[in-house]
Amino acid sequence: MRAAASAMSAAATPEVSHRGTCFCQASSVQLRGDPVAASFCHCSTCRRLSGAPYMAIALAPLSCVVMTGPTSELSTSDKVVRYRCSLCHSPLAAILAGKTVALPIGLFDFPGGAPPSWRPQHHMYYSQRTFDVLDGLPRYEASTRGKLWEPPAS
């Protein structure tokens, strides 16, 4: 789905608010403005592709994101295409249903801490978690359109 990556480049303007880079700094993502949401994702795909128990992601419209540098892509479902730096293999972005981009928050440096719009407000796919996270945030069984996770009755 190189067309989606091209759409990211063509749709954004030169005025960039936030830039994140991969480990080797050969590839980057740029977000114009702030994310529309931020989440902790516990789905098995994010866990396996990141090697972490969950990922902190920021969501933004495709038209606000530009990806540059060498990339490789992987289709992980009918509606999700993920991009990595083809040199160091850092995750860069996932395009969701061709219109929203999930950006790993760890790519971005925020001296003094991330601004409020970048701080995850909930957990998604908590039913697939590797361990409990007791941070007081809402925990959804699957997507945020679904029901909240509830601990099993003792």
Side-chain angles (χ1 to χ4, degrees), residues 1-8 22 27-29 49 55 62 65 67-76 80-86 89-96 98 100-104 107:
M1 289 201 171
R2 278 284 165 211
S6 298
M8 281 196 294
C22 65
S27 299
S28 68
V29 290
L49 289 174
M55 282 188 70
L62 179 63
V65 177
M67 186 170 30
T68 59
T71 61
S72 59
E73 68 178 57
L74 174 66
S75 227
T76 54
V80 179
V81 178
R82 295 172 190 267
Y83 293 87
R84 291 182 174 270
C85 171
S86 59
H89 307 289
S90 295
L92 294 170
I95 299 178
L96 315 173
T100 302
V101 181
L103 301 168
L107 297 178

Side-chain angles (χ1 to χ4, degrees), residues 6-151:
S6 298
M8 281 196 294
S9 297
T13 66
E15 297 181 23
V16 176
S17 299
H18 305 281
R19 181 175 181 265
T21 62
C22 65
F23 175 73
C24 72
Q25 299 187 354
S27 299
S28 68
V29 290
Q30 298 173 338
L31 172 62
R32 185 172 31 91
D34 286 320
V36 295
S39 307
F40 290 119
C41 185
H42 297 262
C43 80
S44 62
T45 303
C46 282
R47 287 189 291 105
R48 288 185 175 100
L49 289 174
S50 70
Y54 52 90
M55 282 188 70
I57 56 172
L59 299 173
L62 179 63
S63 62
C64 294
V65 177
V66 176
M67 186 170 30
T68 59
T71 61
S72 59
E73 68 178 57
L74 174 66
S75 227
T76 54
S77 74
D78 291 343
K79 294 184 180 182
V80 179
V81 178
R82 295 172 190 267
Y83 293 87
R84 291 182 174 270
C85 171
S86 59
L87 301 179
C88 69
H89 307 289
S90 295
L92 294 170
I95 299 178
L96 315 173
K99 59 184 178 180
T100 302
V101 181
L103 301 168
I105 295 173
L107 297 178
F108 298 84
D109 292 324
F110 296 107
S117 62
W118 287 80
R119 295 181 191 147
Q121 297 299 308
H122 55 265
H123 294 266
M124 302 181 339
Y125 297 93
Y126 197 73
S127 61
Q128 297 179 30
R129 73 197 179 284
T130 56
F131 54 80
D132 287 331
V133 179
L134 306 174
D135 58 9
L137 294 176
R139 298 173 283 182
Y140 291 90
E141 282 187 10
S143 77
T144 56
R145 289 183 228 114
K147 66 182 200 170
L148 287 169
W149 175 85
E150 294 182 27

